[in-house]
């Protein structure tokens, strides 16, 4: 290291960020506004009467009303749709975790490249190309409209997601822990169940939360495969349109009802979601 | 455990030893079988249907008609090729903005600062929001007469735009919505890549007197290239397959002039709105080949960069 390097480096290190901080502040403020403002607009509109929605001057100054929410819960059977969404997403997540966590462990520890390719295929294939054959077969079995088929289709979304997150999690866990446990008398599966699995709970939480969110948000599979009694929230919202004139207030209330639970979950589990969404993306 | 005890394990013991010995397959098999059943069979079935004239009802009989569907689809300049064009336009446009904005925002978030949490929350919200609800939200915002978008333009003295309601602007407006929802995803991936970068090359360039832009252009971005391509592949696959927002905002057929109909919504419409399963399967097979081809090209590029 030359003398000049020694002189220059401390000065360079002090500057934490190369952009002038004002420009950076302005840029980030703009980003936050652009991302949050539409959502605020949606929430505001859900508390307005349709007359107020049609009046641009009643931007922030309006008398808030719960009438839209009353419409949504009264006319349409939203309590049932909320339950359907929750039930389908929850069961699909639990079943996917049970199937995918051991599979991810096995693929990570024993390097099963070919089977990982099948999982990748599940990720890139357009869902419609699966829906047509599924619809053929499951309507023959009189399963279309049942919870079973809805849960299975959501599991098809969740499983590859969980596999990928858990594979990268197990990849980063040292094998020595399990080996030590086996020296101490545990069977290989015992070592997995009593050492590796408890230690990988943060990864399981990440995978589970993301799986729940994706299943909750899924629209296309539910649109085709749900029946009138098993309808999930995204499909119920879509039904809200379709009529001659749109009840904007009611529609926005319905939109808030479907997004709110998922956003609350996201707020409390931020770090898990971020680590899950970026899992594997930065590796070769 | 002594060797005598091991010998006396009995049936359960032998069973448990077999499971332990073959745990590789015991662990992987249930998940693999589940995915294979729901994936491989439908893929083969779709390929088969693409050579038939299956339509009408699910149970109606259908005939094998060879390559007729392929000829019909590939010479269809009314629905198929425009849908290809719109798919390319939508995906390309969305990716372009998402990658540029995603990198810019990630750079702004790179080094820690106060209030970082707030920005991170804002970035997470669109990512987890239900796409159908988001589609409805933008429908109201882009409503020509009462929407927030035109209200904001009027503050700036810009005349009102038709947004989603005109065939000329609908698809571009939906690119905007996609950019709003998914730029955060690119930001997160790039940010993860940035944090994993070694610091030495940047400092070396700094010592050599390179300014901020030079270091970004000649040092940081080239090092980041594999991550950027990973983000492009990930986002690209999902943008190609976009369904929720297109269908929620413009409904069946992608609007009255099919103005937002992409390959995915076209295939969906053929299947479930018009029951033309054979032709839909042909479109899907062609679409799938297109996706595989693109990924293949991109991963070759990524491999070359990783070397």
């Amino acid at each position: 290291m030359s003398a000049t390097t020694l002189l220059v480096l401390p000065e360079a290190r002090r500057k934490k960020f190369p952009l002038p901080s004002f420009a950076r502040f302005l840029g980030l403020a703009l980003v936050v506004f652009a991302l949050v403002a539409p959502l605020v607009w949606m929430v505001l509109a859900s508390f307005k009467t349709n007359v107020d929605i049609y009046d641009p001057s009643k931007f922030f100054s309006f008398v808030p009303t719960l009438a839209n929410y009353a419409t949504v819960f009264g006319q349409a059977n939203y309590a049932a749709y909320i339950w359907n969404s929750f039930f389908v997403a929850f069961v699909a997540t639990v079943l996917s975790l049970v199937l995918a966590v051991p599979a991810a462990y096995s693929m990570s520890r024993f390097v099963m490249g070919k089977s990982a390719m099948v999982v990748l295929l599940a990720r890139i294939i357009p869902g419609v190309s699966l829906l047509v054959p599924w619809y053929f077969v499951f309507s023959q079995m009189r399963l279309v409209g049942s919870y079973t088929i809805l849960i299975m289709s959501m599991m098809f979304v969740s499983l590859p997601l969980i596999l990928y997150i858990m594979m990268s999690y197990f990849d980063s866990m040292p094998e020595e822990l399990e080996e030590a446990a086996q020296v101490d008398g545990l069977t290989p599966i015992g070592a997995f169940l009593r050492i590796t699995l408890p230690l990988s709970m943060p990864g399981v939480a990440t995978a589970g939360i993301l799986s729940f969110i994706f299943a909750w948000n899924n629209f296309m599979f539910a649109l085709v495969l749900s029946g009138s009694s098993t309808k999930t929230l995204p499909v119920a919202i879509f039904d809200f349109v379709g009529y001659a004139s749109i009840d904007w207030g009611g529609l926005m209330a319905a939109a808030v009802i479907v997004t709110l639970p998922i956003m609350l979950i996201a707020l409390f589990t931020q770090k898990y979601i971020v680590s899950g969404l970026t899992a594997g993306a930065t590796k070769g | 455990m002594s060797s005598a005890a091991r010998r006396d394990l009995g049936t359960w013991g032998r069973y448990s030893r077999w499971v332990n010995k073959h745990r590789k397959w015991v662990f992987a098999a249930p998940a693999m079988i589940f995915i294979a059943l729901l994936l491989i069979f439908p893929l083969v079935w779709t390929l088969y249907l693409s050579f038939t004239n299956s339509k009408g009802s699910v149970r109606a009989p259908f005939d094998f008609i060879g390559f007729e569907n392929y000829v019909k689809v590939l010479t269809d300049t009314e629905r198929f090729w425009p849908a290809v064009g719109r798919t390319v336009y939508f995906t390309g446009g969305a990716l372009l903005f998402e990658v540029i904005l995603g990198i810019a925002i990630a750079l702004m978030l790179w080094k820690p600062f106060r209030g970082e949490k707030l920005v991170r929350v804002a970035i997470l919200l669109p990512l987890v929001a239900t796409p159908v609800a988001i589609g409805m939200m933008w429908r109201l915002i882009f409503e020509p007469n009462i929407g927030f978008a035109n209200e904001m333009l009027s503050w700036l003295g810009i005349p009102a735009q038709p947004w989603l309601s005109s065939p000329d602007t609908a698809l571009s407006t939906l690119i905007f919505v996609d950019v709003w929802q998914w730029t955060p995803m690119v930001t997160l991936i790039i940010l993860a890549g940035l944090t994993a970068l070694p610091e030495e090359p940047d400092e070396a360039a700094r010592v050599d007197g390179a300014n901020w832009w030079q270091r970004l252009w000649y040092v940081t971005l080239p090092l980041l290239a594999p991550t950027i391509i990973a983000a492009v592949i990930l986002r690209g696959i999902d943008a190609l397959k976009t369904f929720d927002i297109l269908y929620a905002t413009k409904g069946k057929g992608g609007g009255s002039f099919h103005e937002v109909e992409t390959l995915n919504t076209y295939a969906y419409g053929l299947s479930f709105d018009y029951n033309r399963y054979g032709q839909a399967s042909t479109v899907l097979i062609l679409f799938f080949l297109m996706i595989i081809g693109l990924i293949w090209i991109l991963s070759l590029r990524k491999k070359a960069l990783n070397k």
Side-chain angles (χ1 to χ4, degrees):
Chain A
M1 203 182 278
S2 71
T4 23
T5 323
L6 286 172
L7 282 175
V8 171
L9 266 182
E11 164 64 22
R13 273 212 186 107
R14 213 180 308 137
K15 271 199 275 172
K16 270 218 155 167
F17 192 78
L19 265 184
S21 65
F22 180 69
R24 189 186 182 204
F25 173 80
L26 208 69
L28 287 171
L30 200 69
V31 169
V32 172
F33 174 78
L35 294 179
V36 175
L39 295 165
V40 173
W41 178 250
M42 170 174 87
V43 176
L44 285 179
S46 76
F47 289 109
K48 288 179 190 173
T49 61
N50 275 327
V51 179
D52 284 348
I53 289 178
Y54 274 85
D55 185 352
S57 68
K58 299 265 177 67
F59 209 67
F60 291 109
S61 57
F62 59 92
V63 185
T65 165
L66 285 174
N68 294 320
Y69 289 90
T71 314
V72 167
F73 280 103
Q75 285 179 1
N77 200 3
Y78 265 72
Y81 304 145
I82 293 173
W83 166 250
N84 287 343
S85 273
F86 175 80
F87 178 72
V88 168
F90 184 78
V91 175
T93 298
V94 171
L95 290 178
S96 298
L97 282 173
V98 170
L99 288 184
V101 173
Y105 173 78
S106 174
M107 286 179 182
S108 161
R109 284 290 185 267
F110 306 105
V111 194
M112 297 160 78
K114 291 240 167 61
S115 26
M117 283 301 288
V118 179
V119 184
L120 189 68
L121 198 64
R123 177 80 180 69
I124 62 180
I125 198 165
V128 194
S129 55
L130 305 170
L131 263 177
V132 177
W134 288 356
Y135 193 75
F136 257 86
V137 172
F138 293 120
S139 60
Q140 298 280 355
M141 296 164 76
R142 299 187 188 284
L143 275 174
V144 171
S146 68
Y147 284 119
T148 317
I149 183 63
L150 266 182
I151 290 168
M152 273 174 75
S153 69
M154 301 305 167
M155 279 175 72
F156 190 82
V157 182
S158 310
L159 251 171
L161 184 80
I162 297 174
L163 266 170
Y164 266 94
I165 294 172
M166 289 316 290
M167 270 169 79
S168 69
Y169 203 86
F170 287 131
D171 280 347
S172 65
M173 257 172 99
E175 240 169 299
E176 285 77 20
L177 285 169
E178 293 149 35
E179 282 162 10
Q182 286 181 44
V183 170
D184 288 346
L186 282 175
T187 58
I189 290 186
F192 168 73
L193 289 177
R194 293 174 58 179
I195 309 290
T196 316
L197 198 58
L199 283 174
S200 57
M201 273 309 152
V204 174
T206 298
I209 294 162
L210 275 181
S211 152
F212 186 86
I213 293 177
F214 276 64
W216 178 278
N217 285 348
N218 183 289
F219 173 58
M220 198 209 304
F221 288 166
L223 185 63
V224 174
L225 298 173
S226 69
S228 53
S229 63
T230 55
K231 200 179 281 179
T232 57
L233 275 176
V235 184
I237 290 194
F238 182 69
D239 284 353
F240 223 100
V241 201
Y243 308 116
S245 72
I246 296 176
D247 170 12
W248 284 113
L251 187 59
M252 289 305 112
V256 170
I257 290 167
V258 65
T259 38
L260 197 64
I262 223 76
M263 285 196 173
L264 287 178
I265 293 176
L267 286 185
F268 289 113
T269 57
Q270 263 192 70
K271 67 171 185 185
Y272 295 110
I273 296 185
V274 172
S275 71
L277 286 175
T278 53
T282 51
K283 284 191 211 148
Chain B
M1 202 190 288
S2 72
S3 58
R6 189 170 289 175
R7 232 174 287 130
D8 292 338
L9 283 173
T11 322
W12 170 250
R14 257 177 279 138
Y15 174 68
S16 137
R17 273 179 68 186
W18 184 89
V19 169
N20 269 300
K21 204 176 153 207
H22 297 94
R23 65 188 188 286
K24 173 180 173 181
W25 294 109
V26 173
F27 275 7
M32 295 315 296
I33 292 171
F34 179 83
I35 292 183
L37 274 182
L38 286 186
L39 178 77
I40 309 287
F41 156 73
L43 267 182
V44 176
W45 185 249
T46 303
L47 188 65
Y48 167 69
L49 274 188
S50 74
F51 294 105
T52 69
N53 61 356
S54 167
K55 62 181 162 200
S57 119
V58 169
R59 286 188 189 80
F62 49 84
D63 300 315
F64 190 78
I65 55 167
F67 280 95
E68 209 174 288
N69 281 327
Y70 285 86
V71 175
K72 200 162 146 205
V73 167
L74 286 171
T75 55
D76 172 13
T77 51
E78 233 161 79
R79 295 288 288 273
F80 179 74
W81 286 110
V84 173
R86 282 187 288 261
T87 308
V88 173
Y89 174 71
F90 180 82
T91 307
L95 270 181
L96 181 73
F97 287 108
E98 279 160 26
V99 169
I100 293 175
L101 287 172
I103 293 175
I105 299 171
L107 284 173
M108 289 194 279
L109 285 166
W110 190 6
K111 301 288 158 68
F113 61 95
R114 248 196 293 168
E116 202 178 330
K117 269 234 167 88
L118 183 79
V119 185
R120 281 172 188 264
V121 168
I123 280 183
L124 218 51
L125 291 180
L127 280 181
V128 296
T130 311
V132 178
I134 294 309
M136 299 307 175
M137 174 187 93
W138 284 109
R139 253 177 97 152
L140 175 59
I141 292 173
F142 283 128
E143 223 288 332
N145 301 314
I146 58 172
F148 182 51
N150 277 340
E151 181 69 18
M152 241 170 92
L153 288 187
S154 75
W155 299 344
L156 303 170
I158 302 170
Q161 302 295 319
W163 305 111
L164 287 168
S165 57
S166 152
D168 300 326
T169 51
L171 194 56
S172 307
T173 306
L174 286 170
I175 289 182
F176 174 91
V177 175
D178 197 77
V179 169
W180 179 84
Q181 189 161 28
W182 294 109
T183 299
M185 181 80 197
V186 180
T187 302
L188 288 181
I189 295 174
I190 303 284
L191 198 55
L194 278 174
T195 3
L197 281 190
E199 281 187 28
E200 292 79 15
D202 191 55
E203 299 211 334
R206 201 194 293 257
V207 170
D208 289 342
N211 66 28
W212 190 77
W213 283 109
Q214 286 168 330
R215 275 182 288 134
L216 177 68
W217 194 251
Y218 294 107
V219 181
T220 310
L221 286 183
L223 282 173
L224 212 55
T227 309
I228 297 174
I229 292 191
V232 168
I233 295 180
L234 235 105
R235 227 0 257 149
I237 294 169
D238 285 342
L240 281 170
K241 296 191 300 182
T242 299
F243 176 81
D244 301 18
I245 286 195
L246 302 181
Y247 204 78
T249 50
K250 296 299 284 186
K252 291 179 185 178
S256 24
F257 302 95
H258 311 304
E259 61 261 29
V260 305
E261 189 166 77
T262 61
L263 279 177
N264 204 34
T265 53
Y266 180 45
Y268 179 91
L270 280 176
S271 309
F272 298 105
D273 295 337
Y274 307 111
N275 295 329
R276 282 152 71 183
Y277 298 107
Q279 204 182 331
S281 301
T282 306
V283 173
L284 281 167
I285 294 292
L286 294 170
F287 184 31
F288 190 50
L289 290 177
M290 198 173 117
I291 299 182
I292 298 275
L294 279 174
I295 294 176
W296 185 64
I297 293 170
L298 280 171
S299 40
L300 281 186
R301 183 93 194 94
K302 189 169 174 236
K303 247 184 216 151
L305 281 168
N306 271 338
K307 267 174 196 159

